[in-house]
Structures are given as structure tokens and as C-alpha cells.
mmCIF file of all heavy atoms in Angstrom:
data_model
loop_
_atom_site.group_PDB
_atom_site.id
_atom_site.type_symbol
_atom_site.label_atom_id
_atom_site.label_comp_id
_atom_site.label_asym_id
_atom_site.label_seq_id
_atom_site.Cartn_x
_atom_site.Cartn_y
_atom_site.Cartn_z
ATOM 1 N N LEU I 29 10.523 -9.798 1.755
ATOM 2 C CA LEU I 29 9.569 -10.748 2.069
ATOM 3 C C LEU I 29 10.320 -12.122 2.285
ATOM 4 O O LEU I 29 10.047 -12.860 3.236
ATOM 5 C CB LEU I 29 8.562 -10.920 0.997
ATOM 6 C CG LEU I 29 7.478 -11.961 1.215
ATOM 7 C CD1 LEU I 29 6.676 -11.737 2.533
ATOM 8 C CD2 LEU I 29 6.459 -12.033 0.053
ATOM 9 N N ALA I 30 11.324 -12.422 1.314
ATOM 10 C CA ALA I 30 12.025 -13.727 1.551
ATOM 11 C C ALA I 30 12.735 -13.715 2.822
ATOM 12 O O ALA I 30 12.811 -14.761 3.494
ATOM 13 C CB ALA I 30 12.989 -13.846 0.365
ATOM 14 N N LEU I 31 13.383 -12.569 3.350
ATOM 15 C CA LEU I 31 14.066 -12.580 4.506
ATOM 16 C C LEU I 31 13.088 -12.746 5.654
ATOM 17 O O LEU I 31 13.407 -13.399 6.693
ATOM 18 C CB LEU I 31 14.837 -11.276 4.657
ATOM 19 C CG LEU I 31 16.138 -11.128 3.733
ATOM 20 C CD1 LEU I 31 16.629 -9.758 3.746
ATOM 21 C CD2 LEU I 31 17.181 -12.189 4.142
ATOM 22 N N ARG I 32 11.963 -12.046 5.589
ATOM 23 C CA ARG I 32 10.972 -12.131 6.649
ATOM 24 C C ARG I 32 10.384 -13.553 6.845
ATOM 25 O O ARG I 32 10.180 -14.010 8.024
ATOM 26 C CB ARG I 32 9.841 -11.214 6.481
ATOM 27 C CG ARG I 32 10.237 -9.664 6.642
ATOM 28 C CD ARG I 32 9.028 -8.832 6.813
ATOM 29 N NE ARG I 32 8.173 -8.780 5.599
ATOM 30 C CZ ARG I 32 8.306 -7.823 4.577
ATOM 31 N NH1 ARG I 32 9.295 -6.895 4.667
ATOM 32 N NH2 ARG I 32 7.560 -7.931 3.548
ATOM 33 N N ARG I 33 10.381 -14.261 5.741
ATOM 34 C CA ARG I 33 9.886 -15.670 5.867
ATOM 35 C C ARG I 33 10.910 -16.533 6.547
ATOM 36 O O ARG I 33 10.577 -17.580 7.093
ATOM 37 C CB ARG I 33 9.612 -16.292 4.340
ATOM 38 C CG ARG I 33 8.353 -15.703 3.751
ATOM 39 C CD ARG I 33 8.266 -16.118 2.356
ATOM 40 N NE ARG I 33 6.973 -15.801 1.725
ATOM 41 C CZ ARG I 33 6.744 -15.806 0.358
ATOM 42 N NH1 ARG I 33 7.765 -16.094 -0.366
ATOM 43 N NH2 ARG I 33 5.565 -15.415 -0.006
ATOM 44 N N HIS I 34 12.122 -16.073 6.566
ATOM 45 C CA HIS I 34 13.165 -16.801 7.346
ATOM 46 C C HIS I 34 13.412 -16.183 8.706
ATOM 47 O O HIS I 34 14.406 -16.498 9.339
ATOM 48 C CB HIS I 34 14.499 -16.792 6.559
ATOM 49 C CG HIS I 34 14.344 -17.648 5.255
ATOM 50 N ND1 HIS I 34 15.318 -17.549 4.280
ATOM 51 C CD2 HIS I 34 13.365 -18.380 4.839
ATOM 52 C CE1 HIS I 34 15.017 -18.384 3.288
ATOM 53 N NE2 HIS I 34 13.848 -18.882 3.560
ATOM 54 N N GLY I 35 12.506 -15.363 9.162
ATOM 55 C CA GLY I 35 12.555 -14.847 10.478
ATOM 56 C C GLY I 35 13.485 -13.582 10.682
ATOM 57 O O GLY I 35 13.833 -13.238 11.752
ATOM 58 N N ILE I 36 13.819 -12.978 9.580
ATOM 59 C CA ILE I 36 14.708 -11.753 9.617
ATOM 60 C C ILE I 36 13.853 -10.541 9.160
ATOM 61 O O ILE I 36 13.511 -10.451 7.956
ATOM 62 C CB ILE I 36 15.992 -11.975 8.746
ATOM 63 C CG1 ILE I 36 16.673 -13.226 9.211
ATOM 64 C CG2 ILE I 36 16.816 -10.679 8.701
ATOM 65 C CD1 ILE I 36 17.845 -13.568 8.227
ATOM 66 N N ASP I 37 13.609 -9.658 10.071
ATOM 67 C CA ASP I 37 12.830 -8.411 9.703
ATOM 68 C C ASP I 37 13.653 -7.559 8.770
ATOM 69 O O ASP I 37 14.732 -7.179 9.051
ATOM 70 C CB ASP I 37 12.451 -7.632 10.989
ATOM 71 C CG ASP I 37 11.418 -6.589 10.690
ATOM 72 O OD1 ASP I 37 10.733 -6.710 9.744
ATOM 73 O OD2 ASP I 37 11.502 -5.627 11.521
ATOM 74 N N ALA I 38 13.081 -7.239 7.611
ATOM 75 C CA ALA I 38 13.689 -6.331 6.694
ATOM 76 C C ALA I 38 12.719 -5.545 5.992
ATOM 77 O O ALA I 38 11.547 -5.942 5.862
ATOM 78 C CB ALA I 38 14.443 -7.241 5.623
ATOM 79 N N GLU I 39 13.110 -4.302 5.502
ATOM 80 C CA GLU I 39 12.298 -3.426 4.784
ATOM 81 C C GLU I 39 12.944 -3.189 3.421
ATOM 82 O O GLU I 39 14.073 -3.208 3.207
ATOM 83 C CB GLU I 39 12.228 -2.039 5.614
ATOM 84 C CG GLU I 39 11.700 -2.326 7.082
ATOM 85 C CD GLU I 39 11.850 -0.905 7.764
ATOM 86 O OE1 GLU I 39 11.548 0.075 7.256
ATOM 87 O OE2 GLU I 39 12.373 -1.003 8.953
ATOM 88 N N ALA I 40 11.989 -2.856 2.580
ATOM 89 C CA ALA I 40 12.385 -2.504 1.193
ATOM 90 C C ALA I 40 12.669 -0.998 0.983
ATOM 91 O O ALA I 40 11.793 -0.214 1.312
ATOM 92 C CB ALA I 40 11.302 -2.936 0.155
ATOM 93 N N ALA I 41 13.814 -0.612 0.514
ATOM 94 C CA ALA I 41 14.147 0.764 0.302
ATOM 95 C C ALA I 41 15.396 0.876 -0.602
ATOM 96 O O ALA I 41 16.413 0.558 -0.136
ATOM 97 C CB ALA I 41 14.478 1.531 1.593
ATOM 98 N N ASN I 42 15.130 1.097 -1.870
ATOM 99 C CA ASN I 42 16.185 1.153 -2.824
ATOM 100 C C ASN I 42 16.753 2.531 -3.055
ATOM 101 O O ASN I 42 16.175 3.386 -3.762
ATOM 102 C CB ASN I 42 15.698 0.663 -4.097
ATOM 103 C CG ASN I 42 16.826 0.503 -5.259
ATOM 104 O OD1 ASN I 42 18.060 0.693 -4.887
ATOM 105 N ND2 ASN I 42 16.598 -0.042 -6.311
ATOM 106 N N ALA I 43 17.719 2.940 -2.243
ATOM 107 C CA ALA I 43 18.249 4.291 -2.292
ATOM 108 C C ALA I 43 18.919 4.656 -3.528
ATOM 109 O O ALA I 43 19.206 5.912 -3.910
ATOM 110 C CB ALA I 43 19.217 4.495 -1.059
ATOM 111 N N ILE I 44 19.223 3.642 -4.412
ATOM 112 C CA ILE I 44 19.893 3.997 -5.719
ATOM 113 C C ILE I 44 18.896 4.833 -6.583
ATOM 114 O O ILE I 44 19.413 5.858 -7.332
ATOM 115 C CB ILE I 44 20.192 2.691 -6.473
ATOM 116 C CG1 ILE I 44 21.319 2.001 -5.714
ATOM 117 C CG2 ILE I 44 20.728 2.957 -7.886
ATOM 118 C CD1 ILE I 44 21.494 0.501 -6.369
ATOM 119 N N VAL I 45 17.651 4.555 -6.445
ATOM 120 C CA VAL I 45 16.672 5.472 -7.176
ATOM 121 C C VAL I 45 16.765 6.933 -6.803
ATOM 122 O O VAL I 45 16.523 7.824 -7.670
ATOM 123 C CB VAL I 45 15.228 4.923 -6.817
ATOM 124 C CG1 VAL I 45 14.214 5.736 -7.619
ATOM 125 C CG2 VAL I 45 15.070 3.445 -7.158
ATOM 126 N N ASP I 46 17.242 7.282 -5.629
ATOM 127 C CA ASP I 46 17.379 8.630 -5.180
ATOM 128 C C ASP I 46 18.517 9.372 -5.725
ATOM 129 O O ASP I 46 18.625 10.564 -5.537
ATOM 130 C CB ASP I 46 17.200 8.754 -3.687
ATOM 131 C CG ASP I 46 15.882 8.169 -3.078
ATOM 132 O OD1 ASP I 46 14.849 8.459 -3.653
ATOM 133 O OD2 ASP I 46 15.952 7.346 -2.228
ATOM 134 N N LEU I 47 19.426 8.633 -6.250
ATOM 135 C CA LEU I 47 20.827 9.222 -6.579
ATOM 136 C C LEU I 47 20.572 10.271 -7.750
ATOM 137 O O LEU I 47 21.391 11.218 -7.726
ATOM 138 C CB LEU I 47 21.741 8.166 -7.120
ATOM 139 C CG LEU I 47 22.215 7.150 -6.029
ATOM 140 C CD1 LEU I 47 23.211 6.190 -6.529
ATOM 141 C CD2 LEU I 47 22.736 7.913 -4.760
ATOM 142 N N PHE I 48 19.590 10.096 -8.578
ATOM 143 C CA PHE I 48 19.456 11.024 -9.696
ATOM 144 C C PHE I 48 18.505 12.232 -9.253
ATOM 145 O O PHE I 48 18.470 13.220 -9.948
ATOM 146 C CB PHE I 48 18.894 10.425 -10.906
ATOM 147 C CG PHE I 48 17.425 10.103 -10.886
ATOM 148 C CD1 PHE I 48 16.503 10.955 -11.369
ATOM 149 C CD2 PHE I 48 17.066 8.861 -10.357
ATOM 150 C CE1 PHE I 48 15.145 10.571 -11.272
ATOM 151 C CE2 PHE I 48 15.720 8.537 -10.290
ATOM 152 C CZ PHE I 48 14.786 9.450 -10.690
ATOM 153 N N GLU I 49 18.012 12.201 -8.103
ATOM 154 C CA GLU I 49 17.093 13.232 -7.672
ATOM 155 C C GLU I 49 17.904 14.335 -6.895
ATOM 156 O O GLU I 49 17.478 14.709 -5.814
ATOM 157 C CB GLU I 49 15.955 12.691 -6.827
ATOM 158 C CG GLU I 49 14.980 11.815 -7.652
ATOM 159 C CD GLU I 49 13.771 11.501 -6.903
ATOM 160 O OE1 GLU I 49 13.765 11.564 -5.701
ATOM 161 O OE2 GLU I 49 12.761 11.158 -7.665
ATOM 162 N N SER I 50 18.986 14.752 -7.514
ATOM 163 C CA SER I 50 19.737 15.855 -6.850
ATOM 164 C C SER I 50 19.402 17.144 -7.274
ATOM 165 O O SER I 50 18.591 17.311 -8.394
ATOM 166 C CB SER I 50 21.292 15.700 -7.101
ATOM 167 O OG SER I 50 21.403 15.614 -8.487
ATOM 168 N N PRO I 51 19.661 18.307 -6.634
ATOM 169 C CA PRO I 51 19.149 19.670 -7.076
ATOM 170 C C PRO I 51 19.818 19.883 -8.499
ATOM 171 O O PRO I 51 20.813 19.419 -8.909
ATOM 172 C CB PRO I 51 19.880 20.590 -6.141
ATOM 173 C CG PRO I 51 20.045 19.734 -4.853
ATOM 174 C CD PRO I 51 20.366 18.353 -5.388
ATOM 175 N N ASP I 52 19.064 20.595 -9.343
ATOM 176 C CA ASP I 52 19.483 20.961 -10.702
ATOM 177 C C ASP I 52 20.714 21.702 -10.616
ATOM 178 O O ASP I 52 21.025 22.569 -9.747
ATOM 179 C CB ASP I 52 18.394 21.699 -11.434
ATOM 180 C CG ASP I 52 18.597 21.598 -12.865
ATOM 181 O OD1 ASP I 52 19.224 20.659 -13.434
ATOM 182 O OD2 ASP I 52 18.249 22.651 -13.603
ATOM 183 N N ASP I 53 21.619 21.497 -11.582
ATOM 184 C CA ASP I 53 22.910 22.208 -11.764
ATOM 185 C C ASP I 53 22.874 22.934 -13.158
ATOM 186 O O ASP I 53 22.942 22.337 -14.205
ATOM 187 C CB ASP I 53 24.009 21.303 -11.604
ATOM 188 C CG ASP I 53 25.362 22.049 -11.548
ATOM 189 O OD1 ASP I 53 25.502 23.177 -12.048
ATOM 190 O OD2 ASP I 53 26.258 21.399 -11.126
ATOM 191 N N PRO I 54 22.653 24.268 -13.185
ATOM 192 C CA PRO I 54 22.523 24.949 -14.448
ATOM 193 C C PRO I 54 23.837 24.883 -15.344
ATOM 194 O O PRO I 54 23.815 24.992 -16.551
ATOM 195 C CB PRO I 54 22.312 26.410 -14.076
ATOM 196 C CG PRO I 54 22.861 26.561 -12.657
ATOM 197 C CD PRO I 54 22.525 25.210 -12.041
ATOM 198 N N ARG I 55 24.995 24.491 -14.791
ATOM 199 C CA ARG I 55 26.180 24.360 -15.469
ATOM 200 C C ARG I 55 26.081 23.095 -16.588
ATOM 201 O O ARG I 55 26.818 23.142 -17.540
ATOM 202 C CB ARG I 55 27.310 24.029 -14.616
ATOM 203 C CG ARG I 55 27.704 25.137 -13.652
ATOM 204 C CD ARG I 55 28.741 24.773 -12.668
ATOM 205 N NE ARG I 55 28.447 23.622 -11.927
ATOM 206 C CZ ARG I 55 29.290 22.990 -11.030
ATOM 207 N NH1 ARG I 55 30.593 23.434 -10.895
ATOM 208 N NH2 ARG I 55 28.925 21.971 -10.381
ATOM 209 N N VAL I 56 25.145 22.264 -16.340
ATOM 210 C CA VAL I 56 25.035 21.108 -17.211
ATOM 211 C C VAL I 56 24.522 21.461 -18.578
ATOM 212 O O VAL I 56 24.651 20.840 -19.575
ATOM 213 C CB VAL I 56 24.150 19.969 -16.555
ATOM 214 C CG1 VAL I 56 22.835 20.310 -16.670
ATOM 215 C CG2 VAL I 56 24.461 18.604 -17.285
ATOM 216 N N GLU I 57 23.779 22.718 -18.615
ATOM 217 C CA GLU I 57 23.307 23.171 -19.885
ATOM 218 C C GLU I 57 24.384 23.456 -20.885
ATOM 219 O O GLU I 57 24.191 23.048 -22.040
ATOM 220 C CB GLU I 57 22.520 24.452 -19.665
ATOM 221 C CG GLU I 57 21.164 24.293 -19.019
ATOM 222 C CD GLU I 57 20.171 23.661 -19.836
ATOM 223 O OE1 GLU I 57 20.337 23.473 -21.028
ATOM 224 O OE2 GLU I 57 19.135 23.150 -19.240
ATOM 225 N N ALA I 58 25.527 23.833 -20.414
ATOM 226 C CA ALA I 58 26.669 24.079 -21.296
ATOM 227 C C ALA I 58 27.207 22.655 -21.822
ATOM 228 O O ALA I 58 27.858 22.579 -22.863
ATOM 229 C CB ALA I 58 27.758 24.828 -20.617
ATOM 230 N N ALA I 59 27.098 21.670 -20.994
ATOM 231 C CA ALA I 59 27.529 20.307 -21.366
ATOM 232 C C ALA I 59 26.778 19.776 -22.534
ATOM 233 O O ALA I 59 27.281 18.971 -23.379
ATOM 234 C CB ALA I 59 27.600 19.401 -20.229
ATOM 235 N N VAL I 60 25.457 20.056 -22.594
ATOM 236 C CA VAL I 60 24.612 19.384 -23.545
ATOM 237 C C VAL I 60 24.207 20.400 -24.761
ATOM 238 O O VAL I 60 23.500 20.097 -25.669
ATOM 239 C CB VAL I 60 23.322 18.833 -23.034
ATOM 240 C CG1 VAL I 60 23.598 17.766 -22.075
ATOM 241 C CG2 VAL I 60 22.493 19.929 -22.344
ATOM 242 N N ASP I 61 24.601 21.610 -24.640
ATOM 243 C CA ASP I 61 24.332 22.727 -25.572
ATOM 244 C C ASP I 61 24.606 22.228 -26.998
ATOM 245 O O ASP I 61 25.705 21.935 -27.347
ATOM 246 C CB ASP I 61 24.939 24.040 -25.186
ATOM 247 C CG ASP I 61 24.550 25.120 -26.125
ATOM 248 O OD1 ASP I 61 23.318 25.292 -26.355
ATOM 249 O OD2 ASP I 61 25.456 25.854 -26.670
ATOM 250 N N GLY I 62 23.578 22.288 -27.863
ATOM 251 C CA GLY I 62 23.751 22.040 -29.339
ATOM 252 C C GLY I 62 23.714 20.544 -29.617
ATOM 253 O O GLY I 62 23.706 20.203 -30.900
ATOM 254 N N PHE I 63 23.587 19.658 -28.723
ATOM 255 C CA PHE I 63 23.591 18.260 -28.994
ATOM 256 C C PHE I 63 22.057 17.829 -29.166
ATOM 257 O O PHE I 63 21.237 18.048 -28.304
ATOM 258 C CB PHE I 63 24.181 17.491 -27.829
ATOM 259 C CG PHE I 63 25.660 17.614 -27.692
ATOM 260 C CD1 PHE I 63 26.265 17.176 -26.477
ATOM 261 C CD2 PHE I 63 26.424 18.160 -28.704
ATOM 262 C CE1 PHE I 63 27.685 17.356 -26.380
ATOM 263 C CE2 PHE I 63 27.827 18.294 -28.563
ATOM 264 C CZ PHE I 63 28.462 17.946 -27.403
ATOM 265 N N ALA I 64 21.900 17.195 -30.352
ATOM 266 C CA ALA I 64 20.482 16.628 -30.540
ATOM 267 C C ALA I 64 20.531 15.405 -31.426
ATOM 268 O O ALA I 64 20.838 15.602 -32.637
ATOM 269 C CB ALA I 64 19.644 17.780 -31.261
ATOM 270 N N PRO I 65 20.478 14.249 -30.801
ATOM 271 C CA PRO I 65 20.180 13.961 -29.461
ATOM 272 C C PRO I 65 21.523 14.041 -28.571
ATOM 273 O O PRO I 65 22.600 14.029 -29.088
ATOM 274 C CB PRO I 65 19.746 12.497 -29.427
ATOM 275 C CG PRO I 65 20.398 11.982 -30.632
ATOM 276 C CD PRO I 65 20.523 12.994 -31.635
ATOM 277 N N ALA I 66 21.248 14.209 -27.319
ATOM 278 C CA ALA I 66 22.348 14.174 -26.373
ATOM 279 C C ALA I 66 22.399 12.868 -25.583
ATOM 280 O O ALA I 66 21.336 12.350 -25.237
ATOM 281 C CB ALA I 66 22.213 15.332 -25.286
ATOM 282 N N LEU I 67 23.560 12.271 -25.458
ATOM 283 C CA LEU I 67 23.795 11.025 -24.829
ATOM 284 C C LEU I 67 24.599 11.198 -23.587
ATOM 285 O O LEU I 67 25.282 12.167 -23.401
ATOM 286 C CB LEU I 67 24.480 10.011 -25.697
ATOM 287 C CG LEU I 67 24.010 9.842 -27.185
ATOM 288 C CD1 LEU I 67 24.869 8.711 -27.797
ATOM 289 C CD2 LEU I 67 22.461 9.486 -27.254
ATOM 290 N N ALA I 68 24.548 10.255 -22.609
ATOM 291 C CA ALA I 68 25.452 10.262 -21.485
ATOM 292 C C ALA I 68 26.390 9.075 -21.577
ATOM 293 O O ALA I 68 25.919 7.967 -22.066
ATOM 294 C CB ALA I 68 24.754 10.245 -20.251
#
């Protein structure tokens, strides 16, 4: 909106949000197995 107010057409799209929405990888189960709680 701030850019549009200055005459520059811009759209909002934060692709960073999509970075964690990758297909599941069952191998990660071995990485967290037995951890309670598990941290990254």
C-alpha cells in the first residue's frame, strides 16, 4: 500500500511462508525419535 501511494503498483506475497510447506519426508522421524520435547 505504501508503494502504491507513491505511484508504484505492488502486490503482497510473502513466499517465505511457503518454505515450510514442502512434502513430508518420513526420514525425519528418525531424527526426532525418542526426543520429548524435540527442538530444532
Side-chain angles (χ1 to χ4, degrees):
L29 179 60
L31 289 171
R32 289 197 295 269
R33 284 173 174 164
H34 293 172
I36 300 171
D37 189 25
E39 303 174 44
N42 189 357
I44 296 173
V45 180
D46 301 313
L47 295 182
F48 74 93
E49 293 191 340
S50 55
D52 194 33
D53 188 338
R55 297 176 300 176
V56 79
E57 287 291 346
V60 299
D61 183 46
F63 292 164
L67 314 183

